[in-house]
Amino acid sequence: MLVYPSGVDVSSTALRLLTARLKEHRRALGTRWRRLNAGRRVLLTLAHLRNGQPYPQLAAGFGIGTTTAYRYITEAVNLLAALAPTLAEAVRAASTKAYVILDGTLLPIDRTAADRPFCSGKHKKHGMKVQVIADTKGRLMWASPALAGAVHDVRAAREHGIIEALAEARISCWADKGQGAGGTVRLPYRGRWDSLSTGQQAVNRSHAKIRALVEQAIATLKSWRLLRKLRCSTTRITSLVQAVLCLHMASPN
């Protein structure tokens, strides 16, 4: 396999954060030696998350075995996932905002037609459903644990306790029709466009302009190429999403 130098467009702040966590974790375990030092293991993890490169390619580039690369990346991802903000922390941060925006997105996975729980009827593809909260400027504030793609957005929001948490904190939330679960969530008027009154059409236009900002948060999440097409066990996807969220929150805006 040929090896060539490449770059990863991730901030140095994220690099320092994960390096410090790996060093602390190593001291806690009492590990004396690793094939790669903490800085190289962090670079290995960031290359996997940001560029979506598979383990064999990364292993060849870093001069280690494929199994070792998998182990190092899994260790780093779990450490990052533990640092990701919880829903309660996100709600506390959102309490200073005028409102937040809620939407769901599908992370595609490599599953066959037989895996019906992972098939999204809306998107006509297999994936894992993630709920995203964005602030008034479309910045990513929180991403939920991943659920099977067949789960509807309303059910996902209820299972994660998003609607209840926002209602308890009295935070206004803009969402689409699929998120209609009550509480403080504001939805557009339902019905065919030509059946709506002039006032209702104006409200729906304004609502759409506000809610469109959440697409920036979703794009931020999917700028990490690994999440564009996941080829791992579905049980690991939540940790990957939380790791990406942690790195995003650690990076300067």
Side-chain angles (χ1 to χ4, degrees):
M1 187 176 294
L2 299 177
V3 178
Y4 65 95
S6 183
V8 183
D9 56 339
V10 180
S11 72
S12 57
T13 304
L15 178 71
R16 290 193 295 269
L17 168 70
L18 183 51
T19 301
R21 288 294 298 142
L22 280 176
K23 289 180 177 178
E24 292 174 5
H25 184 63
R26 178 179 175 181
R27 286 194 295 268
L29 294 177
T31 304
R32 295 185 178 182
W33 181 85
R34 292 286 178 93
R35 185 69 180 272
L36 298 179
N37 61 33
R40 296 287 288 172
R41 296 205 305 274
V42 170
L43 190 58
L44 172 74
T45 303
L46 294 179
H48 178 64
L49 294 175
R50 190 66 173 178
N51 296 336
Q53 291 179 309
Y55 299 117
Q57 292 182 5
L58 291 170
F62 282 82
I64 57 178
T66 303
T67 303
T68 303
Y70 173 83
R71 188 171 67 251
Y72 285 170
I73 292 172
T74 301
E75 179 185 47
V77 165
N78 290 339
L79 289 174
L80 285 172
L83 298 176
T86 63
L87 177 60
E89 292 170 341
V91 169
R92 282 197 296 270
S95 62
T96 62
K97 311 291 183 181
Y99 59 86
V100 296
I101 312 170
L102 173 66
D103 199 3
T105 186
L106 188 77
L107 302 180
I109 60 175
D110 59 341
R111 288 295 183 271
T112 64
D115 298 316
R116 293 183 61 85
F118 300 102
C119 183
S120 170
K122 175 181 177 181
H123 297 88
K124 308 300 182 183
K125 64 175 65 173
H126 293 77
M128 297 292 285
K129 184 71 64 69
V130 173
Q131 301 295 306
V132 171
I133 294 179
D135 66 8
T136 54
K137 295 183 178 180
R139 292 175 297 200
L140 179 64
M141 297 184 66
W142 181 76
S144 73
L147 296 176
V151 176
H152 193 273
D153 283 340
V154 173
R155 177 184 165 190
R158 287 172 176 165
E159 285 195 22
H160 297 311
I162 300 172
I163 307 303
E164 294 79 2
L166 294 175
E168 185 176 349
R170 298 182 179 180
I171 299 173
S172 297
C173 174
W174 265 251
D176 62 10
K177 297 175 182 178
Q179 301 283 358
T184 56
V185 178
R186 300 187 180 184
L187 306 174
Y189 286 102
R190 294 178 178 273
R192 293 175 57 87
W193 182 258
D194 53 6
S195 67
L196 300 177
S197 66
T198 303
Q200 289 174 332
Q201 290 178 357
V203 169
N204 280 11
R205 288 194 194 96
S206 177
H207 188 282
K209 289 180 181 179
I210 295 174
R211 201 184 64 79
L213 292 173
V214 76
E215 298 300 329
Q216 297 180 24
I218 294 175
T220 297
L221 194 65
K222 292 185 177 181
S223 66
W224 298 77
R225 294 178 182 85
L226 183 71
L227 300 183
R228 297 179 188 176
K229 183 68 173 181
L230 290 154
R231 294 178 173 85
C232 62
S233 169
T234 55
T235 59
R236 296 187 59 236
I237 294 178
T238 292
S239 295
L240 292 171
V241 171
Q242 297 301 311
V244 166
L245 176 63
C246 176
L247 290 171
H248 168 72
M249 301 300 289
S251 302
N253 295 325

